[in-house]
Amino acid sequence: MNPVDPFERQLREVFRRVEPPPGLEQRILRRVRPRQPRRLPPWLAVAASLVLVVGGSLGVMRWQERQHRQREAERVRQQLALTLEITSRTLARADQRLRSIGVERIRLQEVSSWQEY
Amino acid sequence: MDATPDFAEIVREHQAMVYSLALHALRDSAAAEDITQDVFLALHQNLGRLESPSHIRHWLARVTSHRCIDEIRKRGYRRGPALEEVGEPGRSDANGDPLLRQRLRQMVAALPAPARLMILLRYQEEMELAEIARVLDVPVQTVKSRLHRALGLLREKMGRQTAGVQEARS
């Protein structure tokens, strides 16, 4: 390249670098760095996790209590049923005894009344 | 890789080169900006493979030149008539240099795509012939002969135009 050649000098002037349009750099960087999805702030993520954990724990505890109460109720029901069964048998035996005693007394009374004659 | 300050600095340093090459080659500012953005996006994806600032500059010139050549060929891109058809200046061009400069731009824009980029790499970026050959992936002798032919045509046209201007002034 001949620096003193007027034509080449003219070419350098005509084709010198131009200023890029305003904001071009930012547009390029925006394309390179796309917008990140918004993330929860850390404290909010921790709070949400705690709510989930506590809520879940409470739910489990209530369910366990309900299970316990149901088992207790069943146990009491079974005991009551057993008690009623025993009582019923006892009463039946007692009745039987009483009936048998009642027959003998009548007989005894009959015998004694006969003896009076 | 994030858009780190290093990459932003590279953009700031080289955007004028890339944009100017594209603008002078295509004479279309919107197309020039599109190419500029695409080239830097490609740079960002390939930055890890580039070893030095001079390597980056060479890479940018190379990719920009090839994108411009592809764009010119794709569109059958001509801004104005072919060089041989560019008219001689009339008396109206005697108003001075701005018109001559504009005519020079038109003449370069009328050159075939590779010759156009050779002129721009030579006179905008002041590259030596060997570097132009590496950028455009052609032999040095090809650069030499095409540049010589293009400059000859341009000189001839501009010589006639300059003479026309001088005659109009006198």
Side-chain angles (χ1 to χ4, degrees):
Chain A
M1 194 155 39
N2 187 350
V4 299
D5 180 342
F7 180 62
E8 291 192 78
R9 204 167 49 237
Q10 195 171 25
L11 283 171
R12 280 200 297 278
E13 279 175 27
V14 169
F15 294 112
R16 67 174 173 264
R17 288 184 186 180
V18 298
E19 278 300 310
L24 177 57
E25 180 186 335
Q26 285 70 36
R27 289 192 287 281
I28 290 168
L29 294 178
R30 252 200 312 274
R31 276 186 74 180
V32 159
R33 183 176 47 201
R35 191 174 269 188
Q36 298 289 339
R38 289 188 69 176
R39 292 181 182 171
L40 291 174
W43 67 265
L44 192 55
V46 169
S49 304
L50 279 174
V51 166
L52 283 173
V53 167
V54 169
S57 302
L58 283 175
V60 166
M61 281 168 55
R62 283 189 183 167
W63 177 80
Q64 285 176 337
E65 272 180 28
R66 194 164 52 244
Q67 292 291 101
H68 179 71
R69 282 200 297 274
Q70 283 175 352
R71 281 197 296 274
E72 270 301 301
E74 179 64 19
R75 192 177 65 77
V76 167
R77 192 192 68 77
Q78 284 175 357
Q79 277 188 344
L80 187 61
L82 184 60
T83 303
L84 287 172
E85 175 77 18
I86 293 170
T87 304
S88 170
R89 286 185 195 162
T90 305
L91 286 173
R93 274 204 299 275
D95 181 61
Q96 198 176 11
R97 287 286 302 272
L98 284 172
R99 282 176 187 269
S100 64
I101 291 171
V103 167
E104 288 208 19
R105 179 169 281 179
I106 289 170
R107 281 188 188 158
L108 283 172
Q109 282 177 349
E110 280 179 356
V111 168
S112 65
S113 68
W114 291 340
Q115 286 174 349
E116 282 175 13
Y117 287 118
Chain B
M1 182 185 166
D2 242 354
T4 63
D6 289 337
F7 181 76
E9 185 58 39
I10 291 170
V11 172
R12 212 167 293 133
E13 184 179 347
H14 295 291
Q15 60 175 334
M17 174 189 73
V18 173
Y19 179 75
S20 300
L21 276 175
L23 181 66
H24 289 142
L26 304 176
R27 298 194 69 203
D28 179 338
S29 56
E33 175 160 346
D34 285 345
I35 284 183
T36 304
Q37 290 198 28
D38 289 347
V39 167
F40 278 106
L41 192 62
L43 175 69
H44 184 256
Q45 292 162 354
N46 289 280
L47 198 55
R49 295 197 268 160
L50 302 178
E51 295 164 353
S52 65
S54 62
H55 194 184
I56 290 172
R57 180 176 175 268
H58 174 85
W59 189 96
L60 285 169
R62 179 189 175 94
V63 172
T64 304
S65 300
H66 285 280
R67 290 282 176 106
C68 289
I69 290 171
D70 290 345
E71 190 66 24
I72 292 166
R73 286 173 174 164
K74 188 172 75 177
R75 299 187 183 193
Y77 218 99
R78 269 187 204 285
R79 283 292 186 183
L83 179 58
E84 299 74 28
E85 296 163 17
V86 173
E88 304 291 333
R91 287 188 174 271
S92 59
D93 286 346
N95 285 333
D97 290 342
L99 285 175
L100 285 177
R101 292 154 72 97
Q102 186 184 355
R103 192 57 63 95
L104 185 52
R105 289 193 193 100
Q106 287 174 342
M107 283 192 245
V108 169
L111 291 170
R116 205 183 302 185
L117 268 299
M118 286 176 193
I119 293 283
L120 296 177
L121 290 169
R122 182 78 168 153
Y123 294 101
Q124 176 187 308
E125 294 303 312
E126 301 197 355
M127 284 187 186
E128 298 299 329
L129 301 190
E131 192 176 0
I132 294 173
R134 283 196 301 274
V135 165
L136 296 180
D137 270 334
V138 294
V140 177
Q141 193 54 42
T142 302
V143 175
K144 213 169 172 178
S145 62
R146 285 190 183 176
L147 208 49
H148 180 77
R149 187 160 60 239
L151 283 174
L153 282 171
L154 291 172
R155 275 182 205 276
E156 188 185 350
K157 285 274 184 186
M158 282 304 291
R160 285 202 286 269
Q161 293 195 26
T162 307
V165 170
Q166 285 171 348
E167 188 188 328
R169 282 177 176 159
S170 62

